[in-house]
């Protein structure tokens, strides 16, 4: 009897760990995908730098990372207030939101792929506007986190950190190669988010 109890406890513990690892992996993938928009803009800004400027690179990365982390928290707060009404449709809502964001990124990548690069001096107010504009999609992701009952504090920590790192890397890539990889970053992020949405929907349909 004791052996059976211990075995059942071990199985439950393994399932719990597996669910947490899957949730962590999903958050990391979503965080990386959401940051592609910010990375694309960072590549553009890096392409306009006259040589490597680590101060500007860190400032750009910090602003993008901060806004990208703050906006999901706002979306999560709004979504949590309606969680009792949307919990039954959480995965469907997440699928719709992530797919919309993904399609938008893909569309922007195709549209901007043929555009010419226009360089302007880095202005702090413009940087705030860019950081806000590239993080609006993350608010919808925060709403999806609430629908899926994900750990929002872990999510915004990872989103902010990953966006910071990729945005900083984006300025270096832009400085080295120009805007060559700008649209490719957006396209990769859009496809990944759309696939994540389909994966979440598949989980709903299998229940």
């Amino acid at each position: 009897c004791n052996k059976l109890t211990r075995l059942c406890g071990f199985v439950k513990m393994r399932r719990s760990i597996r669910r947490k690892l899957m949730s962590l992996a999903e958050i990391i993938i979503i965080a990386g995908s959401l940051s592609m928009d910010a990375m694309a803009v960072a590549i553009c800004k890096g392409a306009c730098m006259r040589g490597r400027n680590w101060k500007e690179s860190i400032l750009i990365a910090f602003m993008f990372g901060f806004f990208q982390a703050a906006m999901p928290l706002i979306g999560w707060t709004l979504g949590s207030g309606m969680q009792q009404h949307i919990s039954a449709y959480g995965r469907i809502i997440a699928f719709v939101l992530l797919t919309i964001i993904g399609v938008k990124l893909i569309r922007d990548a195709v549209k901007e792929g043929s555009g010419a690069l226009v360089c302007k001096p880095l202005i702090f107010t413009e940087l705030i506007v860019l950081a806000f504009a590239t993080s609006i999609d993350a608010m919808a992701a925060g709403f999806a986190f609430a629908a899926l009952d994900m750990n929002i504090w872990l999510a915004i920590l990872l989103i902010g950190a990953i966006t910071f790192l990729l945005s900083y890397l984006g300025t270096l890539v832009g400085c080295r190669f120009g805007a060559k990889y700008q649209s490719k970053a957006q396209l990769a992020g859009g496809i990944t988010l759309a696939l994540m949405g389909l994966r979440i929907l598949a989980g709903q349909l299998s229940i």
Side-chain angles (χ1 to χ4, degrees):
C1 183
N2 289 334
K3 289 183 178 180
L4 181 60
T5 302
R6 287 197 296 270
L7 179 61
C8 290
F10 178 72
V11 171
K12 289 180 179 179
M13 183 180 68
R14 284 192 60 184
R15 288 178 178 174
S16 176
I17 293 173
R18 185 179 301 173
R19 283 196 297 268
K20 289 179 179 178
L21 289 176
M22 288 179 63
S23 178
L24 177 62
E26 288 173 350
I27 292 174
I28 291 175
I29 293 172
I30 292 173
S33 301
L34 287 173
S35 66
M36 289 297 103
D37 218 1
M39 185 181 184
V41 177
I43 291 174
C44 183
K45 287 298 180 183
C48 293
M49 289 181 182
R50 297 179 179 177
R52 292 185 181 180
N53 188 328
W54 66 270
K55 289 184 179 180
E56 284 193 5
S57 295
I58 289 178
L59 179 61
I60 291 170
F62 174 78
M63 293 303 296
F64 284 160
F66 174 79
F67 274 88
Q68 203 78 15
M71 296 300 274
L73 182 59
I74 296 174
W76 176 84
T77 302
L78 296 174
S80 295
M82 297 180 286
Q83 190 172 14
Q84 60 178 345
H85 303 293
I86 64 176
S87 58
Y89 307 99
R91 289 181 175 270
I92 296 176
I93 293 172
F95 158 72
V96 172
L97 291 174
L98 292 179
T99 302
I100 290 174
I101 299 171
V103 170
K104 177 181 176 295
L105 283 175
I106 295 172
R107 186 189 63 190
D108 290 345
V110 174
K111 183 172 62 176
E112 295 175 8
S114 58
L117 178 65
V118 178
C119 288
K120 299 178 181 178
L122 182 65
I123 302 173
F124 186 70
T125 53
E126 180 197 6
L127 182 58
I128 292 178
V129 172
L130 287 172
F132 176 78
T134 55
S135 64
I136 291 176
D137 291 342
M139 183 188 292
F143 194 92
F145 290 152
L148 294 173
D149 197 22
M150 284 187 169
N151 186 333
I152 186 59
W153 304 110
L154 176 61
I156 63 175
L157 176 64
L158 289 173
I159 290 173
I162 290 174
T163 302
F164 176 89
L165 291 174
L166 290 180
S167 296
Y168 184 80
L169 177 63
T171 61
L172 300 183
V173 170
C175 185
R176 176 67 177 84
F177 299 103
K180 179 180 178 181
Y181 298 103
Q182 178 184 5
S183 60
K184 292 181 176 61
Q186 288 178 305
L187 183 62
I191 292 174
T192 303
L193 280 178
L195 290 176
M196 280 295 299
L198 288 173
R199 183 193 177 284
I200 291 172
L201 179 64
Q204 170 73 19
L205 296 177
S206 64
I207 294 176

